[in-house]
């Protein structure tokens, strides 16, 4: 049968039987709307959780926990296995890995105080965890005009013996093996978005401080604070003398440690050597492996375990599993609605075929083959499915828009609160339309066979 | 020499009726019809006339015997091929018209074009046929708005639209007054004479038998020659 003829037949049916077909399409629309809404919600939440909160496309690897000295290790230096150069190279050779970034944690106690420029008064922390990372890791993330993320000692030239010898924005940094120090810019510091969110949503309200999230980029360079090295609430480092250096907050980074500060790895290496010895300066505490995509992460972890490293946390995997489970459950609900709507279509089409046996017989008499009749019925079902699918997708989109509006106005602010909780990728639209058509088609198979087996002789003789 | 349109040999059909009784409307019927020939068939009610038309028109394919249509073995063709053959070369006219109630007169006539492989526009021919049959002003009417005679003329126009080489008519004048029956009968005769179609009309009326070149009677499942007097017996 020609396509134009098929359009004529289906078009006439849509006009004649619009009530019954609309009822059938309603079921498909409800199922499509449920599927699209739930899947897009799952995808949207997954994007926030796995993109910002627990990035799934990168994994931080470290030696087994049993070997981790923890906080006590800061005070009681002991053999720290660290990550060897060979292990790093082995990870770099992996095809699944995009980049491997070494990290070196503070191996000494530290505390910090400052922030008056932004907060109006100085605030402090009695413990300051810190990570050192390669500058190349964050080079692309830094806003234009921000100070370079590198060891400030590299560009220091002016000798000094005290902070008073330097400009107001500088401090006198001691130089290993020399009596005189060098006037140095504050150490560039990055923080994580998680820390900023935590501060803005939890600490700032508790201490009646202004949030820093929105101003941190434009005004971050004003946030200069003091870092006391080798001394914290827990105790002092066993080697080296506690001293104060300056840090300058230069921005937020996805690569920054969640809780603590992130500074150039060469600076940490220098500090670790001073307060924890050469071993702590050379052996990496962890490496961050950025996978080509989230799908590659599992293979990277498997390889890391084979060379004696473990993922630092499994949040991403746990969250991913949980979300997959919830999405599967909600999709199952949508699937059940699809099945119900398919049976509704089957019932409608069966009634339609029974009512039109004489017409079908007459079509057979004027040249329609059994295959033509089947094609006609199935095409009608697909059109109903597509119509229901389109309506369902529009409803899902509107419902998502409404939910987002409601969340924006009614839900209180919380860390990582997204602008939208939904993600509607193109494949979701296509997939939902595919399901809508498929289930409409499945529902119509039996009636279509029934229609194609109408015996024209018997039926035409009945009238 | 006119070519053979129908060649049926020993056509037989039997089925189980109510209470298990075996019914055998056809029991070795032979029939040959050439192009341009108008054949009238009479027979008592239930004698198998409609069954015969169903088989000759390829609507019923469960029968015994041999059937050649246009020189092709009808039983050897698959459903697609036989449907094409039916759509392109065979026209049906039914006693109860069988029009589509939701379509206009014009659309009813054009229904056979839906299943043609080519997209030839036959609306002009459909209009001409309807004008010829006196329905020029009823093209946009629905069948329910027409009289019985008008409906039968619409059905006839639909059957003639694709210029069928074989026209099978089941009581074409059964529900018509004598004046309209005369119009329809003469149209069928003209179709055979002028267009070269083989016309096979099952009938109970002397009018149609008179117009036919040959009359056959279905009796005991077989076709035998009939005369005008057989009409009364039918």
């Amino acid at each position: 049968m020609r396509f134009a003829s098929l359009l004529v037949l289906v078009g006439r049916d849509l006009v004649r039987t619009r009530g019954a077909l609309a009822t059938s399409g309603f079921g498909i629309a409800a199922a499509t709307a449920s599927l699209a809404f739930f899947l897009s919600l799952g995808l949207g939440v997954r994007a926030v959780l796995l993109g910002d909160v627990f990035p799934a496309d990168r994994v931080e690897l470290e030696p087994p926990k049993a070997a981790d000295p923890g906080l006590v290790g800061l005070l009681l230096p002991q053999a720290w296995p660290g990550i060897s150069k060979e292990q790093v190279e082995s990870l770099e050779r992996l095809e699944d890995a995009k980049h491997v970034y070494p990290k070196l944690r503070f191996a000494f106690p530290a505390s910090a105080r400052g922030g008056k420029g932004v907060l109006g008064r100085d605030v402090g922390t009695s413990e300051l965890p810190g990570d050192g990372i390669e500058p190349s890791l964050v080079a692309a993330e830094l806003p234009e005009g921000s100070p370079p993320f590198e060891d400030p000692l590299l560009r220091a030239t002016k000798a000094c013996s005290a902070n008073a010898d330097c400009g107001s924005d500088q401090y006198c940094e001691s130089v290993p093996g020399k009596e005189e120090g060098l006037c140095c810019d504050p150490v560039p510091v990055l923080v994580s978005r998680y820390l900023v969110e935590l501060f803005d949503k939890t600490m700032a309200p508790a201490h009646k401080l202004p949030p820093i999230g929105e101003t941190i980029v434009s005004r971050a360079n004003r946030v200069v604070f003091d870092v006391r090295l080798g001394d914290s609430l827990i105790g002092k480092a066993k080697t080296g003398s506690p001293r104060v250096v300056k840090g300058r907050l230069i921005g937020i980074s996805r690569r920054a440690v969640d809780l603590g500060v992130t500074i150039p790895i060469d600076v940490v290496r220098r500090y670790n050597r001073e307060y924890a010895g050469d071993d702590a300066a050379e052996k990496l505490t962890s490496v961050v492996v950025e996978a080509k995509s989230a799908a590659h992460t599992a293979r990277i972890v498997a390889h890391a375990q084979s060379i004696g490293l473990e993922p630092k946390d499994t949040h991403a995997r746990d969250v991913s599993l949980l979300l997959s489970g919830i999405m599967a459950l909600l999709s199952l609900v949508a699937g059940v609605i699809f099945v119900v709507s398919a049976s509704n279509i089957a019932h409608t089409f069966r009634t339609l075929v029974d009512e039109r046996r004489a017409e079908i017989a007459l079509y057979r008499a004027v040249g329609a083959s059994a295959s033509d009749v089947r094609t006609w019925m199935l095409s009608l079902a697909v059109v109903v499915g597509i119509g229901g699918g389109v309506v369902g997708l529009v409803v899902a989109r509107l419902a998502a828009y409404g939910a987002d509006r409601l969340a924006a106005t009614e839900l209180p602010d919380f860390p990582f609160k997204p602008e939208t909780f939904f993600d509607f990728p193109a494949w979701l639209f296509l997939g939902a339309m595919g399901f809508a058509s498929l289930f409409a088609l499945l529902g119509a198979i039996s009636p279509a066979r029934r229609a194609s087996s109408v015996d024209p002789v018997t039926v035409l003789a009945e009238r | 020499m006119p070519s053979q349109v129908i060649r049926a040999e020993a056509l037989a059909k039997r089925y189980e009726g109510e209470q298990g009784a075996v019914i055998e409307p056809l029991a070795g019927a032979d029939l040959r019809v050439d192009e341009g020939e108008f054949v009238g068939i009479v027979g008592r009610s239930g004698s198998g006339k409609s069954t015969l038309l169903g088989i000759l028109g390829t609507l019923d394919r469960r029968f015994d015997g041999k059937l050649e249509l246009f020189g092709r073995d009808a039983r050897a063709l698959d459903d697609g091929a036989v449907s094409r053959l039916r759509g392109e070369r065979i026209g049906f006219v039914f006693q109860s018209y069988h029009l589509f109630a939701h379509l206009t007169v014009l659309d009813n006539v054009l229904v056979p074009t839906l299943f043609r492989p080519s997209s030839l526009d036959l609306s002009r021919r459909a209009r001409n046929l309807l004008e010829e049959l006196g329905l020029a002003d009823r093209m946009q009417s629905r069948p329910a708005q027409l009289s019985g005679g008008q409906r039968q003329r619409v059905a006839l126009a639909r059957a003639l639209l694709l210029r069928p080489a074989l026209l099978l008519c089941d009581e074409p004048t059964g529900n018509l007054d004598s004046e309209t029956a005369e119009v329809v009968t003469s149209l069928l005769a003209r179709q055979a004479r002028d267009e070269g179609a083989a016309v096979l009309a099952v009938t109970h009326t002397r009018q149609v038998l008179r117009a036919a070149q040959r009359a056959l009677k279905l009796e005991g499942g077989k076709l035998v020659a009939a005369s005008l007097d057989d009409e009364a017996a039918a």
Side-chain angles (χ1 to χ4, degrees):
Chain A
M1 185 170 28
R2 284 176 293 117
F3 184 65
S5 301
L6 195 57
L7 285 182
V8 169
L9 286 171
V10 170
R12 284 175 182 166
D13 285 333
L14 290 174
V15 174
R16 283 175 72 194
T17 330
R18 53 187 175 276
L21 295 179
T23 308
S24 297
F26 176 78
I28 292 287
T32 309
S34 307
L35 182 73
F37 183 84
F38 290 140
L39 275 183
S40 65
L41 176 62
L43 291 171
V45 172
R46 180 197 285 262
V48 174
L49 286 176
L50 298 183
D52 295 332
V53 185
F54 308 113
D57 61 344
R58 57 194 164 115
V59 57
E60 186 166 356
L61 302 167
E62 60 183 11
K65 297 279 186 204
D68 191 342
L71 281 176
V72 178
L74 298 177
L75 306 172
L76 303 170
Q78 52 187 273
W80 163 241
I83 296 176
S84 68
K85 198 175 169 185
E86 290 73 25
Q87 285 171 313
V88 174
E89 287 170 353
S90 172
L91 289 167
E92 283 172 339
R93 284 195 296 272
L94 272 180
E95 280 191 7
D96 301 292
K98 198 166 152 191
H99 295 294
V100 178
Y101 301 108
K103 289 180 86 171
L104 192 58
R105 199 183 306 157
F106 282 8
F108 55 89
S111 54
R113 187 163 190 81
K116 192 174 181 178
V118 167
L119 303 174
R121 61 185 165 96
D122 281 339
V123 296
T125 173
S126 52
E127 280 301 330
L128 183 69
D131 263 7
I133 59 173
E134 291 282 357
S136 60
L137 183 58
V138 292
E141 284 184 75
L142 296 177
E144 204 173 329
S146 65
F149 187 75
E150 61 181 21
D151 187 350
L153 202 54
L154 295 174
R155 286 179 291 113
T157 52
K158 185 181 173 188
C160 59
S161 55
N163 285 351
D165 299 336
C166 306
S168 60
D169 279 349
Q170 293 190 318
Y171 73 101
C172 188
E173 175 64 293
S174 60
V175 180
K178 291 188 177 174
E179 281 190 16
E180 275 194 324
L182 288 171
C183 284
C184 208
D185 288 330
V187 174
V189 171
L190 294 170
V191 291
S192 68
R193 191 178 158 201
Y194 179 81
L195 183 63
V196 174
E197 293 275 347
L198 192 68
F199 179 86
D200 284 354
K201 306 288 161 55
T202 308
M203 297 178 194
H207 294 279
K208 295 189 170 41
L209 293 168
I212 60 170
E214 289 186 8
T215 56
I216 196 160
V217 175
S218 58
R219 302 179 63 196
N221 294 341
R222 296 188 189 179
V223 184
V224 176
F225 54 95
D226 292 337
V227 179
R228 186 168 175 78
L229 304 175
D231 189 12
S232 74
L233 183 69
I234 295 176
K236 291 183 178 171
K238 292 296 174 189
T239 59
S241 303
R243 62 190 175 88
V244 175
V245 298
K246 286 187 185 298
R248 186 201 301 271
L249 185 57
I250 66 166
I252 300 172
S253 170
R254 284 181 67 219
R255 269 101 183 178
V257 64
D258 284 345
L259 289 172
V261 292
T262 299
I263 62 177
I265 194 167
D266 286 342
V267 179
V268 178
R269 203 167 269 135
R270 196 150 50 78
Y271 293 162
N272 277 2
R273 184 168 284 115
E274 184 177 348
Y275 292 100
D278 288 343
D279 211 28
E282 299 304 329
K283 285 185 178 171
L284 299 172
T285 42
S286 65
V287 287
V288 174
V289 182
E290 196 167 294
K292 284 178 177 167
S293 75
H296 295 262
T297 308
R299 281 200 293 273
I300 292 172
V301 169
H303 178 75
Q305 286 169 333
S306 74
I307 60 171
L309 298 176
E310 286 183 347
K312 190 175 176 184
D313 64 54
T314 57
H315 287 145
R317 191 176 57 191
D318 297 344
V319 167
S320 182
L321 276 174
L322 181 68
L323 283 176
S324 298
I326 292 171
M327 283 166 68
L329 193 68
L330 295 177
S331 300
L332 191 67
V333 172
V336 170
I337 304 176
F338 266 123
V339 171
V340 172
S341 60
S343 67
N344 183 32
I345 281 194
H347 175 72
T348 304
F349 273 62
R350 196 182 171 89
T351 307
L352 189 143
V353 168
D354 286 347
E355 286 173 355
R356 297 193 188 170
R357 288 175 72 238
E359 286 180 24
I360 293 167
L362 196 55
Y363 279 132
R364 294 281 277 139
V366 298
S369 65
S371 160
D372 289 338
V373 174
R374 261 198 310 275
T375 306
W376 164 32
M377 286 292 148
L378 294 177
S379 302
L380 181 60
V382 169
V383 169
V384 170
I386 290 173
V390 168
V391 171
L393 283 173
V394 169
V395 168
R397 208 72 176 86
L398 289 175
Y401 176 75
D404 278 338
R405 287 287 301 264
L406 208 62
T409 54
E410 301 300 322
L411 285 183
D413 278 352
F414 55 84
F416 297 101
K417 183 179 175 183
E419 283 182 15
T420 175
F421 287 84
F422 300 87
D423 185 14
F424 283 93
W427 66 259
L428 179 60
F429 284 100
L430 295 174
M433 290 302 294
F435 269 110
S437 311
L438 177 69
F439 276 88
L441 198 63
L442 290 176
I445 284 177
S446 171
R449 290 181 65 176
R450 188 180 173 87
S452 67
S453 63
V454 162
D455 178 11
V457 172
T458 311
V459 175
L460 292 175
E462 284 170 1
R463 290 173 61 176
Chain B
M1 185 179 168
S3 64
Q4 208 161 58
V5 175
I6 298 174
R7 185 179 170 211
E9 289 177 7
L11 284 187
K13 172 85 179 177
R14 55 188 291 160
Y15 55 87
E16 208 170 287
E18 289 173 13
Q19 297 170 343
V22 173
I23 297 171
E24 195 169 18
L26 296 175
D30 297 324
L31 178 67
R32 291 180 187 206
V33 181
D34 292 337
E35 64 178 9
E37 197 175 5
F38 186 175
V39 179
I41 297 178
V42 292
R44 291 179 185 281
S45 286
S47 62
K49 302 186 295 293
S50 296
T51 304
L52 177 68
L53 285 192
I55 290 172
L56 296 177
T58 70
L59 294 173
D60 185 354
R61 305 186 70 201
R62 288 164 294 185
F63 61 91
D64 293 322
K66 187 175 176 183
L67 175 63
E68 275 186 14
L69 294 171
F70 311 103
R72 298 168 75 183
D73 182 357
R75 300 187 68 175
L77 300 174
D78 63 20
D79 181 68
V82 88
S83 297
R84 269 197 304 282
L85 179 77
R86 193 164 56 233
E88 291 173 7
R89 307 194 74 177
I90 302 174
F92 289 93
V93 179
F94 303 97
Q95 181 180 4
S96 48
Y97 328 126
H98 288 308
L99 299 177
F100 292 95
H102 64 289
L103 298 182
T104 63
V105 163
L106 183 61
D107 285 338
N108 261 289
V109 175
L110 286 168
V111 158
T113 62
L114 290 172
F115 304 101
R116 281 174 59 87
S118 68
S119 58
L120 193 63
D121 183 9
L122 289 168
S123 56
R124 175 173 288 184
R125 174 164 167 77
R127 288 172 193 278
N128 288 343
L129 277 170
L130 287 170
E131 280 171 14
E132 202 176 331
L133 288 165
L135 294 166
D137 56 341
R138 308 311 300 267
M139 288 187 199
Q140 297 307 319
S141 302
R142 307 275 166 181
Q145 299 167 309
L146 304 180
S147 68
Q150 288 172 320
R151 290 182 204 179
Q152 190 60 298
R153 279 180 276 162
V154 174
L156 193 56
R158 181 180 65 198
L160 298 179
L161 181 73
L162 300 179
R163 292 191 171 86
L166 172 60
L167 196 56
L168 300 171
C169 312
D170 191 357
E171 305 282 7
T173 57
N175 290 337
L176 306 180
D177 58 67
S178 60
E179 196 178 330
T180 314
E182 186 58 44
V183 172
V184 170
T185 303
S186 61
L187 263 169
L188 294 177
R190 204 175 77 196
Q191 201 61 26
R193 192 182 59 241
D194 298 348
E195 299 284 338
V199 179
L200 204 64
V202 164
T203 184
H204 279 112
T205 62
R206 198 184 295 266
Q207 215 168 12
V208 175
L209 279 182
R210 263 201 215 103
Q213 295 156 317
R214 191 150 58 99
L216 298 171
K217 184 177 182 182
L218 191 55
E219 198 171 55
K222 289 184 168 56
L223 283 166
V224 295
S227 66
L228 279 179
D229 295 334
D230 286 315
E231 187 249 343

